[in-house]
Amino acid sequence: MMGFLNRRAARAVVGTAAGIAALGLSAVTASAKISYDFKVSPHTVKADARVHVKGYAMNDSDLFQKFCVQQRQGTGSWHTVKCAHGAVFDGGSVNTRVQAKHRGTLQFRGALYETDWNSNKLRLQFVTPTETVRVR
């Protein structure tokens, strides 16, 4: 009789451990991974020169994504320069040139937008580090 109880206890422990392990694995696989590349060149230009801005971003989630390049003059607000078409699993890439019209500092960044499961509205998911261009 004692052997029967020990086997039952062992089965319960193994079942509980498997359940805990499954919960741990589901938490790990649920996290999304974002890949990106963003470059701006040159970093010093004369006024009226063009700045080359190139980048892409994607998230491994199965939502519709769109990658955009944004700029701002000095510490002003961010404005979208150009966006990729976007797709599910891929935010797309942008390769554009921006004219530096005024002296001072231009800043550029990439922004990855995603839809929400319940709506088609794009929301900001990720922003790349800012690249600065000095306009003289």
Side-chain angles (χ1 to χ4, degrees):
M1 183 78 165
M2 204 53 130
F4 175 72
L5 290 176
N6 286 339
R7 280 188 294 223
R8 256 183 116 170
R11 285 184 187 147
V13 168
V14 169
T16 303
I20 291 171
L23 285 175
L25 287 175
S26 67
V28 170
T29 56
S31 66
K33 181 181 172 200
I34 297 175
S35 301
Y36 74 92
D37 185 31
F38 188 72
K39 294 179 181 160
V40 175
S41 65
H43 287 278
T44 302
V45 297
K46 292 181 181 179
D48 291 328
R50 294 191 176 266
V51 178
H52 185 212
V53 183
K54 181 179 183 179
Y56 84 92
M58 58 139 333
N59 189 345
D60 64 357
S61 69
D62 60 348
L63 298 174
F64 179 81
Q65 304 163 26
K66 183 182 276 195
F67 177 73
C68 298
V69 169
Q70 298 177 336
Q71 81 170 37
R72 72 177 175 181
Q73 182 80 35
T75 57
S77 59
W78 290 100
H79 301 283
T80 300
V81 175
K82 188 174 183 181
C83 290
H85 290 292
V88 174
F89 293 110
D90 185 17
S93 63
V94 173
N95 188 358
T96 189
R97 295 189 184 277
V98 178
Q99 188 172 7
K101 296 179 183 177
H102 305 286
R103 291 180 179 200
T105 303
L106 265 181
Q107 292 182 319
F108 295 94
R109 71 181 185 182
L112 181 64
Y113 292 90
E114 288 185 348
T115 57
D116 199 1
W117 280 106
N118 300 327
S119 73
N120 291 331
K121 185 177 179 182
L122 289 171
R123 63 180 170 79
L124 184 61
Q125 177 67 26
F126 173 78
V127 175
T128 66
T130 302
E131 293 280 338
T132 302
V133 175
R134 191 173 132 238
V135 182
R136 45 186 174 99

